[in-house]
Amino acid sequence: MNPHTARCDGHLPVAVLLCAHLGDANGGLDLRAVREGLETAVPSVHVRLLDDACRQPNRVGAAVRASGAARLVLGLCRRGYAAAELHAELRKAGLDPLGVEVVDLGAYAVRVHSREEATRKARVLLAAAAARARTFAGARPENLKPLLPKAVSRRALLSLSLLEYQAVAAVAVERCHAEDGCRECLGACPYQALSLEDGEIRLDKSRCTSCGSCVTACPHEATDLPGWTAAQVEAYVGALLGAPPAELAPRAVLVVCRHGAAALQALAGTGASYPVQWLPMEVPSLGMVPPAWLLAFLHLGAAGVGVVSCTQGCGATSVTRIEGRVDFCRDVLRHAGGHPERVVLLPEEPSALLRALWTTAVEVLQVPPLVQAPPAATATGDPFAHRSRARVLVALGERLGAPSLAIDHLASPFGLVQVGAGCTLCGGCAAACGPGALRLEGDGEAALTFDPALCTACGRCIAACPEPDTLALHRRTDLPLLSRGREALVRGRYGRCVACGGPIAPQPMLERVARLLAGEPPRTLQVVTRYCSSCRGLAQ
Amino acid sequence: MNSSPAAGTPRLRSALARADGRRKHVGPPIPLAALARWRGQVYRLLGRALLFPTPQRLERMATAALRQERAGEKFAGLAIYPRWRLLLRTVRLAAGQAGTLQADFSRLFVAGRDGCAPNESYQLALDPAGAAALAAALEREYAGEGVSLDPAAGELPDHVAVEMEFVAFLCDRERAAWRDRREAEGRRLLLRQRQFLREHLGRWVPRFAREVQRADPSGWYGEVVGAAAAFVHHDQDLVDLLLAWTRDPARGGGGGE
């Protein structure tokens, strides 16, 4: 049996390698407690200490080979490890480097908390990383962007140095609905890295920064970024909020992009400390975090969610976008009778961030979490999947005792389409609706149906409608409508061909055509409105 | 002798620190000639795996796979490495399976009823005139590099094996160029490969792979064609990177486009 595919008790074996320097004196981790706690609490996890793991990638490779693990978590004391060499060693050991989780325990635990607190936090962070590593389903070459080696020397003439690869988003053609007019990812990408060629979405890897905006914007979950599938996020957050030890509760999620992570590192460098309950979750960019995720954290048991602001990346609109999303979440909580301060935008400047982490902790961590026990997995299956965003909001509304919540907000992730009297059931809006919220369906009777849970308020339906002032789009989150699902907005009988009895077009459209052709000879009008396209030739 | 980095003169300490920094970011380099040779071997292996599987051909492929495997872990720095190792194992497993593979080959590629014909014109759904124009263009491309399709081979110029053999040929010449330190020629050949991969293999092999994997999800051809698509994709990125790398004047690369 291949040791890399062997499973223990139904769980994929995960090796957790900890840099032994983490246990150094002067406030380091109690590595024994970390190991024992983790191995007891998380099945099929084997923790091993590795001397100087941050500097010796070959030791990591050898340790992985010896462990026979299928997945790996590295707990390091610093970030500046030799990634290219480490990745090569991991490939030799049969692991995909993109599935390896690296936790900066130096910045997130050792240097900002007391030994006891840091040890507890390290266990939680490592358990979360192990859960995410376990759900890694592999990456494709499309997900890889090779980077030019940074260091060069004359000795390297006519040779290529070891490469580093960056994970980038890739579109699964078989799930993509670009052919049906969906363009959500194109609109979401702040770098114009995506384009439509030959009916397929193509990624220009040289422009992609792996921000992940396209991943969470895709209504069909056709775009993936290794590490950030809905299943991986769910596994990570579930363990972050649910992993022992219980005494770390209540917990709050601290969402940071790479710039926010740098701010936290800077804080760690100053020797400052902040409440241990803040559990960092590094995301590729804030632009990829939809409001449904922020609310899902609360739904899964977080007492609060802090988003460390970022003014440095992801295009000019990122700050406005994330501010709007946070404000939307606060609005939902306000209207539902929850505490709006549970979701906060924190400054990125280190000293201001430190102050905010303390003051917000007082506001957030003193009140009990909205959800005392995380809901059963089936209640909101895949809470971080695009298709589940309405389900998360509805479930949260019910838990807050506000099932009839309806709010209008510019950052509402849902839209609400309303149809006026002028609709002819031509289906132009449905054809333009990439997410599939609007559909023209029906056999005996034409029906324009709408599912608000799928609507992203992109507005393409409005642009496609040929009838002025007929369609209206509101950025509204309406929980009763979201829970009802798909409903017909307009219905109309089909006009039938007088020759063969087949359908010609919906009756409202024929009436509209009749009005347009009012000045034409009656015979023309008759042919067009009474015969189907197949029989029209015979009629003339 | 004290080997501690803290010991020695300031100059030595500085040199050791620099060396440490280099070790941190730069692993053992792969000579460009070796890389070109390896890439050519992989293309050749993939192309031959998609020709009719006679027992002799399968035997030769297994031998070639074994030889490539012995090349060791030199290419573990490339992300395609695990998939390549899997491909070698898959190819070696095929020796002695000619009967089964011939049946699969006929079902998938000869009957072509599953949309799996291994030809560019078929996968791009070209009409007869378009297919003829493509064949003529490909023959011109081959002739431009001084090669032509052997009529005895019995394959069309747009067959996957023929196109892959052409890239393998370019890789062989690129290898010779790097070995002889003819950098401008090495870059020219990389540019030709980039163009050919973009205009041909890169355009249709992913679609071809999807079709074969749909028709033969757990079979030998599904694996081989999946590996081919993965390799072509990775190689497009790699060739782009090599062009950027060899253009960098800081490392003495030369040759304008």
Side-chain angles (χ1 to χ4, degrees):
Chain A
M1 181 188 274
N2 180 350
H4 300 309
T5 56
R7 286 166 185 263
C8 306
D9 308 326
H11 295 283
L12 221 48
V14 179
V16 177
L17 301 180
L18 299 177
C19 181
H21 289 312
L22 288 164
D24 284 350
N26 305 327
L29 297 178
D30 179 347
L31 289 175
R32 189 173 164 186
V34 171
R35 179 165 64 189
E36 287 175 358
L38 210 55
E39 288 185 343
T40 309
V42 189
S44 303
V45 163
H46 303 285
V47 183
R48 196 177 149 187
L49 305 186
L50 210 56
D51 198 27
D52 214 10
C54 299
R55 288 173 186 268
Q56 304 282 344
N58 54 334
R59 289 191 185 172
V60 174
V64 171
R65 277 199 192 93
S67 72
R71 298 286 184 266
L72 173 66
V73 175
L74 283 171
L76 301 181
C77 47
R78 61 198 183 89
R79 280 169 193 254
Y81 58 96
E85 289 186 354
L86 175 66
H87 291 176
E89 292 296 333
L90 294 172
R91 282 187 208 104
K92 287 182 203 168
L95 293 191
D96 186 336
L98 292 190
V100 174
E101 297 286 325
V102 179
V103 186
D104 184 356
L105 292 175
Y108 291 154
V110 174
R111 296 202 294 275
V112 283
H113 304 300
S114 68
R115 183 177 176 84
E116 189 203 346
E117 284 182 338
T119 300
R120 279 190 275 149
K121 189 173 180 180
R123 279 166 57 186
V124 171
L125 294 178
L126 291 169
R132 182 156 67 181
R134 197 167 261 155
T135 44
F136 174 67
R140 301 171 285 149
E142 289 87 334
N143 289 118
L144 293 161
K145 170 175 157 181
L147 303 174
L148 264 180
K150 292 177 193 118
V152 293
S153 77
R154 291 296 300 176
R155 284 198 301 172
L157 190 69
L158 296 178
S159 298
L160 182 69
S161 293
L162 214 50
L163 296 181
E164 274 187 49
Y165 288 86
Q166 176 186 334
V168 291
V171 180
V173 178
E174 61 277 10
R175 288 201 297 274
C176 179
H177 284 238
E179 280 189 348
D180 302 332
C182 186
R183 303 286 181 269
E184 291 292 320
C185 55
L186 267 65
C189 178
Y191 301 100
Q192 290 80 46
L194 292 160
S195 60
L196 187 70
E197 288 174 37
D198 301 332
E200 290 182 4
I201 301 290
R202 299 276 162 84
L203 175 78
D204 179 351
K205 288 185 183 179
S206 66
R207 285 172 175 259
C208 179
T209 65
S210 317
C211 73
S213 298
C214 56
V215 176
T216 46
C218 177
H220 306 288
E221 292 154 38
T223 315
D224 70 294
L225 180 65
W228 296 99
T229 62
Q232 284 184 288
V233 177
E234 183 185 357
Y236 185 82
V237 175
L240 200 67
L241 298 173
E247 60 265 33
L248 207 59
R251 300 175 187 183
V253 179
L254 189 59
V255 182
V256 290
C257 67
R258 49 200 122 177
H259 301 292
L264 286 181
Q265 284 169 56
L267 264 189
T270 63
S273 179
Y274 52 85
V276 71
Q277 290 95 336
W278 282 117
L279 299 175
M281 176 173 170
E282 277 187 36
V283 294
S285 77
L286 298 183
M288 88 171 291
V289 182
W293 279 24
L294 302 177
L295 295 172
F297 296 149
L298 300 179
H299 182 59
L300 291 173
V305 182
V307 180
V308 178
S309 181
C310 170
T311 52
Q312 298 180 54
C314 308
T317 59
S318 67
V319 178
T320 326
R321 199 189 302 175
I322 197 65
E323 279 174 355
R325 288 173 182 180
V326 168
D327 192 59
F328 167 77
C329 294
R330 292 170 72 101
D331 228 15
V332 167
L333 293 171
R334 191 177 298 117
H335 283 84
H339 292 270
E341 61 275 13
R342 286 186 191 277
V343 181
V344 285
L345 192 63
L346 302 165
E348 63 180 319
E349 194 277 313
S351 56
L353 173 61
L354 182 64
R355 276 196 302 278
L357 286 173
W358 279 106
T359 52
T360 311
V362 170
E363 290 170 356
V364 169
L365 300 173
Q366 304 297 320
V367 286
L370 289 177
V371 177
Q372 295 298 333
T378 48
T380 46
D382 293 336
F384 296 96
H386 194 282
R387 65 180 177 281
S388 304
R389 53 195 195 131
R391 216 159 41 221
V392 167
L393 258 86
V394 169
L396 192 67
E398 284 169 0
R399 277 183 177 255
L400 288 168
S404 54
L405 176 85
I407 57 169
D408 287 288
H409 195 285
L410 281 176
S412 164
F414 303 100
L416 183 65
V417 173
Q418 290 177 323
V419 184
C423 177
T424 64
L425 286 165
C426 72
C429 55
C433 182
L438 283 164
R439 269 195 227 150
L440 186 64
E441 46 196 347
D443 288 331
E445 186 184 60
L448 179 67
T449 63
F450 176 66
D451 184 349
L454 297 178
C455 182
T456 59
C458 68
R460 271 194 295 276
C461 52
I462 304 292
C465 180
E467 306 301 331
D469 304 325
T470 295
L471 275 190
L473 175 67
H474 307 280
R475 280 197 167 266
R476 180 177 300 165
T477 297
D478 187 318
L479 298 191
L481 287 181
L482 287 173
S483 41
R484 282 213 294 271
R486 185 169 292 280
E487 289 181 332
L489 298 179
V490 192
R491 291 179 188 277
R493 282 183 305 107
Y494 275 106
R496 296 280 164 183
C497 175
V498 293
C500 70
I504 310 171
Q507 196 59 43
M509 197 198 302
L510 294 178
E511 287 163 12
R512 175 77 172 122
V513 170
R515 284 197 297 277
L516 287 170
L517 297 180
E520 300 292 323
R523 179 68 186 153
T524 304
L525 182 62
Q526 198 177 30
V527 168
V528 170
T529 57
R530 297 186 63 194
Y531 292 90
C532 69
S533 54
S534 306
C535 298
R536 242 167 245 160
L538 299 173
Q540 285 168 339
Chain B
M1 184 179 163
N2 190 344
S3 62
S4 161
T9 62
R11 177 180 284 186
L12 175 61
R13 282 205 297 277
S14 159
L16 284 169
R18 277 203 308 277
D20 186 46
R22 270 207 299 276
R23 267 203 302 280
K24 235 170 60 181
H25 298 293
V26 186
I30 308 173
L32 296 185
L35 189 57
R37 176 172 187 254
W38 175 76
R39 291 176 47 242
Q41 285 173 342
V42 180
Y43 274 116
R44 198 156 276 136
L45 188 69
L46 286 168
R48 288 181 185 172
L50 294 168
L51 288 171
F52 188 74
T54 62
Q56 297 80 5
R57 178 169 285 140
L58 292 175
E59 206 58 50
R60 280 198 301 273
M61 279 162 40
T63 310
L66 191 62
R67 215 170 28 237
Q68 284 190 39
E69 212 160 5
R70 288 199 193 115
E73 296 171 330
K74 197 189 305 180
F75 302 103
L78 301 174
I80 198 70
Y81 175 82
R83 194 73 197 250
W84 170 65
R85 299 283 294 199
L86 186 62
L87 171 72
L88 297 185
R89 274 203 294 278
T90 307
V91 167
R92 284 173 59 193
L93 282 176
Q97 304 283 323
T100 314
L101 292 183
Q102 285 173 2
D104 286 349
F105 185 93
S106 303
R107 175 175 61 86
L108 291 166
F109 305 134
V110 180
R113 60 173 177 268
D114 293 320
C116 299
N119 295 82
E120 181 176 345
S121 53
Y122 180 87
Q123 294 300 330
L124 295 183
L126 300 181
D127 58 21
L134 172 68
L138 282 167
E139 281 179 339
R140 275 197 303 277
E141 294 223 32
Y142 302 153
E145 291 298 328
V147 287
S148 61
L149 187 59
D150 181 0
E155 298 296 353
L156 293 168
D158 68 341
H159 189 278
V160 66
V162 177
E163 293 195 2
M164 286 200 166
E165 179 62 33
F166 180 63
V167 184
F169 168 77
L170 294 176
C171 290
D172 290 347
R173 291 183 57 184
E174 182 205 334
R175 175 201 173 201
W178 297 130
R179 195 188 51 205
D180 302 340
R181 295 190 167 257
R182 289 180 285 123
E183 291 190 29
E185 175 67 359
R187 279 185 53 76
R188 185 192 74 78
L189 287 158
L190 278 173
L191 282 166
R192 288 288 289 123
Q193 289 167 51
R194 174 162 77 177
Q195 180 207 348
F196 193 82
L197 288 170
R198 278 186 185 170
E199 292 177 3
H200 300 287
L201 287 169
R203 270 182 78 203
W204 69 276
V205 167
R207 194 170 306 181
F208 171 53
R210 282 199 296 276
E211 294 297 336
V212 175
Q213 285 175 329
R214 198 171 320 181
D216 191 34
S218 56
W220 193 84
Y221 282 106
E223 178 54 42
V224 167
V225 175
F231 190 80
V232 166
H233 189 100
H234 180 272
D235 208 44
Q236 284 181 279
D237 289 340
L238 183 61
V239 169
D240 280 345
L241 183 125
L242 285 170
L243 281 164
W245 175 245
T246 53
R247 189 172 54 225
D248 185 350
R251 58 166 301 284
E257 292 188 23

